[in-house]
């Protein structure tokens, strides 16, 4: 928890912003239920990057990454370096993939619905930031412009939800 607090204070100092009180809840989530791999193993198995080129292309991640959103890309990356070890989780994921493979229409409708999604994590992190009380006029103006942009992006995001909900409503596996 101390590391999370230190990181938030560092971000506040770099961004010249404060994080709105009560807007974040930090909790520790252990790695039980997943396989832990060290950096050397990840490198040698070329899970994220190719050993020769150092690029993601021609690695397991590069091969599998056909994600439509930044969140999907981060989740895939996380799943590759810390795969589940619990049989129930593995079975649920296999069932979900099997369902998508059997129903091509559902697969493409979900992909199309997710295609326009923005980086929600980035947007949410912007929404919890506030200017410091001793901000300069330029910083306050930048914050105001950022707030207007974020409101427009949030509206765009809300308009994208019904097609995603509709596409996912046909799924029988979570």
């Amino acid at each position: 928890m101390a590391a999370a607090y230190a990181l938030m204070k560092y971000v506040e100092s770099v961004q010249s912003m404060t994080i709105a009180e009560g807007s974040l809840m930090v909790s520790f989530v252990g790695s039980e239920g997943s396989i832990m791999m060290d950096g050397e193993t990840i490198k040698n198995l070329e899970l994220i990057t190719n050993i020769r080129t150092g690029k993601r292309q021609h690695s397991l991640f590069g091969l599998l990454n056909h994600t439509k959103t930044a969140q999907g890309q981060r989740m895939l990356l996380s799943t590759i370096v810390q795969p589940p070890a619990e049989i129930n989780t593995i079975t649920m994921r296999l069932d979900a993939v099997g369902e998508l493979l059997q129903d091509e229409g559902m697969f493409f409708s979900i992909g199309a619905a997710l295609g326009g999604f923005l980086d929600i994590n980035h947007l949410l992190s912007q929404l919890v930031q506030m200017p410091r009380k001793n901000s300069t006029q330029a910083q306050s103006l930048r914050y105001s412009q950022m707030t207007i942009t974020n409101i427009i992006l949030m509206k765009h995001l809300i308009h994208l939800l019904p097609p995603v909900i509709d596409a996912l409503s046909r799924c029988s596996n979570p």
Side-chain angles (χ1 to χ4, degrees):
M1 290 303 200
Y5 179 77
L7 178 62
M8 287 186 343
K9 287 300 173 188
Y10 172 76
V11 169
E12 285 181 347
S13 70
V14 169
Q15 295 289 329
S16 296
M17 300 289 238
T18 59
I19 297 174
E21 189 175 324
S23 63
L24 295 178
M25 185 177 86
V26 178
S27 61
F28 174 76
V29 178
S31 58
E32 297 87 28
S34 59
I35 299 170
M36 297 296 297
M37 289 185 270
D38 61 62
E40 197 64 26
T41 301
I42 292 167
K43 177 183 165 192
N44 289 337
L45 292 174
E46 296 183 332
L47 297 179
I48 306 302
T49 57
N50 181 284
I51 290 177
R52 288 187 210 146
T53 64
K55 296 182 179 180
R56 289 184 171 181
Q57 188 178 2
H58 301 111
S59 68
L60 179 62
F61 177 75
L63 177 71
L64 297 176
N65 187 21
H66 297 284
T67 56
K68 300 289 184 181
T69 65
Q71 299 89 311
Q73 188 172 16
R74 284 191 291 269
M75 183 158 184
L76 175 62
L77 194 59
S78 173
T79 302
I80 289 173
V81 298
Q82 206 172 2
E86 295 178 350
I87 193 68
N88 291 340
T89 304
I90 295 168
T91 302
M92 280 179 28
R93 289 183 183 180
L94 283 172
D95 291 345
V97 169
E99 184 177 6
L100 291 172
L101 290 173
Q102 288 176 359
D103 189 342
E104 192 175 288
M106 181 172 47
F107 174 81
F108 286 111
S109 68
I110 291 171
L114 291 174
F117 258 70
L118 309 166
D119 189 346
I120 297 171
N121 291 345
H122 179 72
L123 179 59
L124 291 176
S125 72
Q126 296 291 316
L127 292 173
V128 299
Q129 294 181 16
M130 298 174 14
R132 290 190 175 162
K133 291 182 180 176
N134 59 353
S135 296
T136 65
Q137 187 174 5
Q139 289 171 329
S140 294
L141 177 62
R142 187 182 77 135
Y143 173 76
S144 298
Q145 290 170 334
M146 184 179 73
T147 301
I148 292 167
T149 301
N150 288 336
I151 290 169
I152 293 167
L153 292 174
M154 201 59 146
K155 180 182 176 205
H156 173 72
L157 188 63
I158 289 168
H159 284 294
L160 292 174
L161 285 176
V164 172
I165 292 168
D166 183 52
L168 291 174
S169 68
R170 296 180 15 214
C171 296
S172 59
N173 291 297

